[in-house]
Amino acid sequence: MEFNVKSGNPEKQRSACVVIGVFDSRKLSQAGEQIDEVSEGYLSNLLRRGDMEGKLGQALLLHNVPNTLSDRVLLIGCGKERDFSDKQYHAVISKAITTLNETGSMDAVCFLSELNVKGRDTHWKVRHAVESTQDSLYSFDQFKSKSESARRPVRRLVFNVTTRKELTIGEQAIAEGVAISKGAHVARDLANLPPNIANPSYIAEQAKMLSIENDKIECLILDEKELKEMGMGAFTAVTQGSDTSGKLIVLNYKGAPEEQKPIVLVGKGITFDSGGISLKPGERMDEMKYDMGGAAGVFGGFVAATEMQLEVNLIMVIAAAENMPGGGACRPGDIVKTLSGQTVEILNTDAEGRLVLCDALTYVERFNPDVVIDVATLTGACVVALGDQASGLMSNHNPLAHELLNAGELCGDRAWRLPLWDEYQEQLESNFADMSNLGGKGAGTITAACFLSRFAKKYHWAHLDIAGTAWKSGKSKGATGRPVPLLTQYILGRVNA
Ligand code: BES
Ligand code: MN
Ligand code: ZN
């Protein structure tokens, strides 16, 4: 898809389609008024006759509108003007794109980016128009024998801005939107791939390929044997039940002078979580292929940031493993020694995410990080607490937590903070080791983060539990690409500060 910005008159666009907003009830947007005027009331006549109310989600495709130069005019219902905010904006862009795609307009000039969205500026509107477009065009059909793609898909979109002064802002916004969409696309593909393909070696290969394409990126892969030798007893306790070797995957992007401390992203990469010996029930177990959603998210965020060539030092670490109940698998009751030296009694082999992550968190100390953000589909409890709206955020550093919360609000990929009070730590006590990997009844999301916090004492750290946000279940089952926008927005904020 090719994106551009322009500042022009709607009636003068030589394109397959011009996209115009209509508010409820029957109120033309400014660009609509302009077309109405040159066409001697053609649009207002239709509205008066009742062809369209302007309700959110409506679409009306018109041909040969008098005195206009485009082949078609597409009217998109935007709902009540005073309610028009982020969510509605996303919905109208999506509706416009799917309609264009289904009706053969291969290029279009879209005036929806001119509409007033509460509290949002041109940069935001153009960037989100790009993101919403790419988001609604995404499909994952590489394993379908017959492709269901449109015969004449949209190829070129121009978003209109109100003044020529805004063109530079618009171009910058497009570049950001394209990079973030690419990151989200990579994350979704990686997560949607079946677990027999997207195993730890596959993710490692993808990382290696990224480092070959970009000479500012270095890649390091450690296999199970090396992890064991290094002393990652928790990580290898998880990998040992699987025939597929676990891997620690490191990508290092040097976009800023060496003395600048790096932002480190750590992802949980359980490519399939069967639960291990503490086997999960069978229902919806296929969805545990998404247990590498954290890995996919940090990979996507890394892709987005490097696509934009941001002046930042960024390191991505993925703890990749399969959690399987093999003959060599760890058992409930096993005690292991972590890379930090602390010992853990494994009371439930299904609490494996924290086991691979704790060693990765100790590992990243060597980078002298500015901040460390880990991302994980860590607890079912987080789905109970926050559903699919917000990712759970926990942190040992208030400024970092606030920056992440604000970044989420700005890009619409939101997080919500939960406390990490010391009192919760008591739930991790073990009779036989320094701690257990099980928090017991109540506050499962928090006690999982408490476990991780014991390995993140040496730096500013935040943890994102994306168990509810990384993928959708049911009829529209699929990866969402979250939290790529959130991570990228945070990094952008850091670079611009
Ligand atoms: N990957 C799961 C968490 C999960 C479950 C995410 C369902 C999304 C949907 C994680 O490894 C897990 O199994 N967690 C257990 C922890 C428990 C054993 C302490 C859970 O949440 O039940
Ligand atoms: Mn598990
Ligand atoms: Zn898991």
Side-chain angles (χ1 to χ4, degrees):
M1 179 76 84
E2 190 191 323
F3 294 102
N4 279 298
V5 275
K6 202 174 192 176
S7 182
N9 295 325
E11 71 277 13
K12 297 205 176 117
Q13 304 303 320
R14 287 180 196 281
S15 83
C17 193
V18 167
V19 185
I20 301 291
V22 181
F23 289 105
D24 189 8
S25 322
R26 304 180 297 281
K27 182 175 181 294
L28 287 168
S29 57
Q30 209 193 327
E33 294 280 6
Q34 266 171 275
I35 292 195
D36 196 45
E37 207 173 295
V38 300
S39 65
E40 283 150 20
Y42 190 85
L43 300 185
S44 46
N45 259 328
L46 284 173
L47 297 181
R48 207 170 311 116
R49 280 191 345 216
D51 289 45
M52 187 185 204
E53 272 301 303
K55 293 209 184 311
L56 190 67
Q58 282 186 317
L60 182 63
L61 186 62
L62 309 170
H63 294 265
N64 308 319
V65 175
N67 305 321
T68 60
L69 296 179
S70 64
D71 301 342
R72 308 170 182 82
V73 171
L74 174 61
L75 301 182
I76 295 288
C78 298
K80 294 270 185 241
E81 193 166 8
R82 68 183 133 79
D83 296 339
F84 198 68
S85 47
D86 299 8
K87 188 168 158 248
Q88 288 77 6
Y89 184 70
H90 177 77
V92 299
I93 299 282
S94 289
K95 182 69 189 178
I97 302 312
T98 41
T99 311
L100 290 170
N101 216 29
E102 285 160 10
T103 51
S105 295
M106 295 183 75
D107 71 290
V109 183
C110 178
F111 283 80
L112 298 172
S113 44
E114 278 188 9
L115 301 174
N116 280 323
V117 182
K118 252 184 250 163
R120 301 304 191 187
D121 57 12
T122 299
H123 182 275
W124 187 96
K125 287 189 283 184
V126 173
R127 194 186 104 185
H128 282 78
V130 172
E131 288 182 46
S132 299
T133 299
Q134 297 298 58
D135 185 56
S136 45
L137 290 177
Y138 178 83
S139 70
F140 186 78
D141 52 14
Q142 61 187 91
F143 295 95
K144 301 249 190 204
S145 305
K146 282 197 205 92
S147 160
E148 286 157 18
S149 55
R151 195 172 61 83
R152 286 170 58 80
V154 215
R155 285 273 156 73
R156 193 165 163 255
L157 270 175
V158 178
F159 294 112
N160 208 74
V161 293
T162 27
T163 62
R164 300 193 56 80
K165 271 189 297 195
E166 290 169 302
L167 288 175
T168 332
I169 297 171
E171 275 155 21
Q172 171 72 23
I174 285 183
E176 282 180 21
V178 166
I180 294 169
S181 302
K182 173 148 189 214
H185 189 112
V186 168
R188 290 171 90 173
D189 276 357
L190 206 50
N192 280 329
L193 280 169
N196 58 331
I197 292 176
N199 58 21
S201 316
Y202 180 89
I203 302 176
E205 280 307 313
Q206 298 302 306
K208 229 179 266 164
M209 266 155 58
L210 206 63
S211 70
I212 290 167
E213 290 160 13
N214 185 332
D215 55 2
K216 284 188 186 158
I217 303 178
E218 280 168 15
C219 177
L220 173 71
I221 315 276
L222 300 177
D223 65 21
E224 200 163 330
K225 201 169 135 264
E226 292 165 293
L227 301 180
K228 196 153 198 167
E229 281 164 11
M230 204 191 294
M232 294 193 173
F235 193 152
T236 53
V238 176
T239 67
Q240 74 193 35
S242 164
D243 293 340
T244 307
S245 166
K247 305 238 187 258
L248 190 82
I249 302 161
V250 184
L251 283 176
N252 192 337
Y253 168 67
K254 295 176 174 159
E258 204 173 329
E259 58 275 12
Q260 199 170 310
K261 290 170 149 198
I263 295 175
V264 178
L265 306 175
V266 177
K268 169 178 173 183
I270 299 296
T271 61
F272 186 74
D273 181 11
S274 72
I277 297 298
S278 313
L279 194 65
K280 284 182 181 297
E283 197 190 348
R284 283 176 37 187
M285 206 204 262
D286 66 290
E287 293 185 16
M288 280 298 116
K289 73 172 182 179
Y290 290 122
D291 212 18
M292 36 62 73
V298 297
F299 200 105
F302 190 88
V303 167
T306 55
E307 277 285 308
M308 286 187 267
Q309 297 179 296
L310 295 183
E311 286 180 23
V312 66
N313 291 326
L314 183 66
I315 295 173
M316 179 206 80
V317 174
I318 290 175
E322 225 183 13
N323 186 23
M324 297 292 272
C330 69
R331 325 145 189 76
D334 279 6
I335 294 178
V336 296
K337 190 164 183 180
T338 64
L339 182 61
S340 72
Q342 303 174 88
T343 57
V344 178
E345 183 184 17
I346 300 175
L347 287 181
N348 189 318
T349 67
D350 197 13
E352 84 298 340
R354 62 198 79 180
L355 294 175
V356 297
L357 285 172
C358 71
D359 281 339
L361 287 173
T362 304
Y363 179 83
V364 303
E365 283 174 3
R366 70 188 57 207
F367 299 122
N368 188 23
D370 183 34
V371 300
V372 176
I373 303 168
D374 82 72
V375 185
T377 50
L378 203 62
T379 63
C382 195
V383 191
V384 176
L386 299 172
D388 62 0
Q389 296 300 320
S391 302
L393 168 68
M394 284 137 277
S395 176
N396 64 10
H397 189 61
N398 289 331
L400 171 59
H402 290 133
E403 279 175 72
L404 283 165
L405 290 173
N406 290 338
E409 289 291 343
L410 192 54
C411 68
D413 181 4
R414 288 180 294 194
W416 194 257
R417 193 174 183 187
L418 299 171
L420 275 185
W421 297 317
D422 265 350
E423 286 78 354
Y424 288 112
Q425 295 281 354
E426 293 163 19
Q427 289 181 234
L428 293 169
E429 276 168 16
S430 155
N431 286 359
F432 307 110
D434 296 339
M435 71 195 87
S436 104
N437 76 332
L438 198 59
K441 269 217 185 90
T445 303
I446 294 172
T447 54
C450 282
F451 183 96
L452 297 179
S453 75
R454 298 174 177 217
F455 302 84
K457 289 222 158 95
K458 301 213 172 126
Y459 43 69
H460 296 155
W461 161 77
H463 160 64
L464 284 168
D465 193 330
I466 58 164
T469 53
W471 78 93
K472 289 184 188 149
S473 307
K475 214 170 128 40
S476 48
K477 193 195 288 180
T480 60
R482 291 177 73 180
V484 172
L486 167 57
L487 293 173
T488 316
Q489 188 68 54
Y490 167 76
I491 299 168
L492 271 170
R494 289 290 310 273
V495 172
N496 295 334

